[in-house]
Structure formats: C-alpha cells, structure tokens
Amino acid sequence: MGQGQYEARRRRPQGPEDQGEPPRRPRRRKRRRRSPVLPVLLVLVVVILAGAFGARAYYTGEVEGTRRPEGEVEVEIPQGAGTARIASILEEAGAIGNTYLFRYYSNKTGADGTYQYGTFTLDPREGYQGIIQRLQEVQQRVETVTVTFPEGYNAFQMGDLLAKEGFCTVDEFLEAVNTHDFDVDFIDQVGNDPLKLVRLDGFLFPDTYEFYADEDVDSIILRMLKNFQQKVYTPENLAAMEEAGYTLEELAVFASIIQKESANVEEMYNVSSVFTNRLAAGSEYPRLESCTTNNYINDYMTPYLGQPSQEMLTAYDTYDRSGFPIGAICNAGTDAFDAALHPEKNTLDGTYYFFVTDVEYTHYYGKTYQEHLANIEKAKAVNRTHGIEGLIQ
C-alpha cells in the first residue's frame, strides 16, 4: 500500500472544530422538579385527621364521663329550669365539662323538657346518659317557704324577715354574715374593716327566694351572695367599675346610698350624678352629706350597739367625712348599681351638687348652695300641706 494511502487512512474525519465552528456542549438531562403540593396536602390530611380524632376523643370522653374525676356531686335544680340553665348548674358543680355539648346531647336524645326539679346526687363518671336519667327522676318534695327581700333592706331587716319565718334569729343571721366563710368569687373583695357594722351588707342581693323549710342560715346567705355574683358581679359591671375607679366595696356602698335616696329608677341616675360631682377630684363639696347614712346610724347602729364609738360614728357619717362611708347601709338592686356606674344617664340639664326631697318624694336639684336653700323652702312648703314642719329625713 502506498504512503499516500496510509496518510489518508490515518487522517481523522474533519469535524466542526476543524471548520472553525465552536465546540458543542454535551446535553444534560433535565431533572424533573418535584411539586410541593403533594407534601403540603399530606400534612394537611394528617392535621385534619389528628384534629378529627382529637375532637372525637374529646366528645366521647365528655359524653361518656371518662374525662370527669371520681366522686359524687350534689346539684339543686330549680323548678322550671330549662336545659341551658341546668347545663350551667351541672358545669358549675363539676358534673359535666361542656354546657354546649350537654345541650346538644340533651336535644338530640329528646331529653329537653323532661327534667325534674329538686336536689340530686350525681356521679359525673356515669356520663351524660346517666346524669340525664337521674335528673328525670321525680324527687321527694321538701316543704319550701317563699321569702321576698325588698330592694333597700339591710341585714337587720332581712334577719327580721327570716326570724318571722322561723329560719333563725336576727342575732344568728347577723353573726353569720359577720363571721362565717362563704365560697363566692368576690368574697376577698369584701372589706373586713373592724369599723364596719355588718360585713356583708351591700352584697346580700334583695330578691324573692324559695328556701327549704329546714334550710340553715349559711345556705340562705350563700344563695343571696351567689345571686349577687350572677346579677351584679358581671364582666360588664366590672369593666365599668374599673373605668370609674371604684373598688367592689365602694360600688356596693355607693349603690346602697343611691337606693335609699331615690324614689324611682329615673331619680337614681340624677342622685348618682349629684354624688359623682361631689366625689370628683377638686370638688368644692367633697362630702356626700346623705341623710340616709345618719338614718342608718340612728335607726340600726345605735340600737344594736347601744353606744357606738366615735370612730364608728364618723366612719358612717357622710356629713363628717369625705367620700364614701366605711360600709353599705342597705342591699341595693341592679338599677341602683347601674346608676352608680352610669351617672351620665341622668336627666338633669347641668352640673348639680345639691338635692332635697319633700314628703311626696319630689326631688329638687340645685347647682349652687343658694339654689339649694331656695329648694329647701319649696320642700318645706309641700310638707306643710301634709301637716309636717321642716324636712323629712
């Protein structure tokens, strides 16, 4: 074979680089990106399933009673109570843990409207069905006595009513309200100043009660305190109390004075406005000067103690001290408490510091002391038409 042929055989094929073209990069396989949707969906499914199992476990444990601690509880179901009220009573006693689930279960099982009233001993671990069955049992009725405490009654008057019904003596009632312990949420906010005549006056809510004929005095007082807690010690009132800068004790005292000074609900807000103006910082008239506090001293304190100390007299005499007296002079209703918290609801046409009342319970308001003196003469003139000289106290 010739040399030329040999050279031709060794010669490489002519590629692009031999032709002046840039070399081509080798192709790389593209990696397929994994979509993030699938892992997220898997996490969501796991969370939903866990939540569903958790909710199911909670529902089952609540309904079957396995979530409740061992031990019996006693509840009192009032006559005419509906499922919502009963559920609240059961939850407060620890028989159930969720009022909404109980109401749902009661409705679902057709138990609404079948409940009896009376005192029941329940085992929370029996579950909803066991509790419902017990609440459907007719209880042996115990004789009851209905007692109505009017708004504005103090502990002495309440004790007198209870004594007439045979529950206790006045002294037994006063001893209990002054020295016994009671399990209510606000009890630590009740003042224990030794100058207070009656520790719980102002917190014994005036209402109509149905007591068992053999109910003891502590049970009676506890019912009255719980009624106060339900109707006065509310989140709305507590927020307004904080905004006004009152303690619970001061609020009860203020409401008691408003209650005794007012002939009707409208006047409560007017009276509250006058006293609030006097209590304001820098007021020219920092004393309440309420005759009702002196009436309390003369009609109840002095007869009860015989000869009160000067310190105690001063503690209640709003003509002799600035601000509130040391304790409430009666037990006010909800309207008086609302007036104490909302003096802005008054119907007066300005800022007043005085008022006087005639025998017909007409209130005369004055912005200045001179106006007050003129109003006193108006009240006296009305009183004379009734054969009364001077002002009523």
Side-chain angles (χ1 to χ4, degrees):
M1 186 177 294
Q3 185 177 2
Q5 291 176 333
Y6 178 78
E7 299 255 346
R9 289 177 62 185
R10 295 186 55 185
R11 190 178 298 155
R12 292 176 304 167
Q14 197 174 41
E17 61 276 11
D18 297 321
Q19 299 178 1
E21 296 180 9
R24 293 180 181 179
R25 294 180 180 179
R27 291 183 179 181
R28 294 180 180 179
R29 292 185 178 180
K30 292 183 180 181
R31 294 182 179 179
R32 297 180 65 183
R33 294 182 180 179
R34 294 181 179 178
S35 173
V37 176
L38 183 58
V40 171
L41 288 176
L42 289 174
V43 171
L44 286 176
V45 169
V46 171
V47 170
I48 291 171
L49 289 175
F53 283 121
R56 179 64 181 176
Y58 174 83
Y59 177 83
T60 301
E62 175 66 21
V63 171
E64 294 182 355
T66 56
R67 296 174 49 84
R68 313 309 304 158
E70 293 183 357
E72 294 182 334
V73 297
E74 187 175 279
V75 298
E76 181 184 329
I77 306 301
Q79 188 172 5
T83 303
R85 175 77 187 283
I86 292 172
S88 297
I89 293 172
L90 294 176
E91 184 184 42
E92 184 177 348
I96 63 172
N98 191 303
T99 58
Y100 298 103
L101 283 184
F102 183 85
R103 291 169 62 182
Y104 167 77
Y105 186 89
S106 175
N107 178 267
K108 180 182 177 182
T109 57
D112 289 354
T114 67
Y115 299 113
Q116 301 296 312
Y117 67 93
T119 301
F120 299 82
T121 300
L122 306 175
D123 182 356
R125 294 185 69 84
E126 286 186 340
Y128 284 5
Q129 192 57 41
I131 290 173
I132 288 174
Q133 287 176 355
R134 290 188 179 274
L135 294 180
Q136 290 171 331
E137 297 172 358
V138 177
Q139 300 296 292
Q140 182 178 359
R141 304 303 179 201
V142 179
E143 182 184 353
T144 59
V145 179
T146 301
V147 179
T148 298
F149 301 109
E151 295 179 354
Y153 262 35
N154 58 43
F156 295 92
Q157 294 168 301
M158 289 177 165
D160 187 54
L161 271 182
L162 291 172
K164 290 177 180 177
E165 295 293 346
F167 288 101
C168 59
T169 66
V170 175
D171 286 340
E172 288 171 342
F173 182 72
L174 292 174
E175 180 185 1
V177 297
N178 274 329
T179 63
H180 294 189
D181 295 326
F182 298 96
D183 185 17
V184 287
D185 293 345
F186 60 86
I187 198 66
D188 291 338
Q189 300 178 53
V190 177
N192 286 305
D193 195 299
L195 294 177
K196 284 182 68 176
L197 183 60
V198 180
R199 180 173 63 110
L200 294 180
D201 244 343
F203 303 94
L204 304 169
F205 193 78
D207 207 342
T208 296
Y209 296 87
E210 188 173 352
F211 299 124
Y212 295 117
D214 59 349
E215 193 157 353
D216 63 67
V217 65
D218 278 16
S219 176
I220 289 173
I221 294 170
L222 182 59
R223 283 217 227 176
M224 299 166 78
L225 295 175
K226 285 188 174 181
N227 202 8
F228 178 94
Q229 180 170 298
Q230 181 181 1
K231 294 180 179 177
V232 177
Y233 195 69
T234 64
E236 296 78 11
N237 282 350
L238 292 179
M241 184 180 78
E242 183 178 358
E243 184 176 352
Y246 299 140
T247 65
L248 184 64
E249 179 84 28
E250 290 172 336
L251 178 61
V253 171
F254 193 15
S256 74
I257 295 175
I258 292 171
Q259 182 78 60
K260 299 300 289 185
E261 288 280 12
S262 307
N264 53 57
V265 174
E266 180 180 311
E267 294 298 349
M268 287 182 180
Y269 294 97
N270 294 340
V271 167
S272 175
S273 174
V274 171
F275 285 142
T276 301
N277 292 337
R278 283 178 168 256
L279 292 168
S283 170
E284 187 178 353
Y285 309 100
R287 295 185 178 90
L288 295 180
E289 298 184 347
S290 170
C291 296
T292 60
T293 57
N294 284 9
N295 293 342
Y296 184 73
I297 292 172
N298 297 329
D299 297 339
Y300 297 99
M301 180 186 294
T302 301
Y304 182 62
L305 297 178
Q307 190 173 357
S309 67
Q310 186 57 49
E311 283 184 315
M312 183 171 282
L313 291 172
T314 301
Y316 278 91
D317 188 354
T318 56
Y319 283 87
D320 196 32
R321 63 178 284 137
S322 298
F324 295 119
I326 199 68
I329 60 174
C330 76
N331 297 281
T334 53
D335 290 324
F337 276 97
D338 190 70
L341 292 171
H342 301 287
E344 71 279 0
K345 294 182 182 180
N346 71 84
T347 60
L348 303 176
D349 59 353
T351 303
Y352 290 77
Y353 292 93
F354 304 90
F355 68 87
V356 64
T357 310
D358 64 28
V359 71
E360 297 177 355
Y361 297 103
T362 300
H363 286 61
Y364 303 85
Y365 296 91
K367 298 177 182 178
T368 66
Y369 185 63
Q370 288 71 27
E371 287 183 8
H372 182 54
L373 292 177
N375 288 335
I376 288 176
E377 295 305 315
K378 293 178 183 178
K380 286 181 177 180
V382 173
N383 292 348
R384 278 193 291 270
T385 64
H386 294 272
I388 299 173
E389 287 297 328
L391 298 174
I392 58 171
Q393 299 296 324

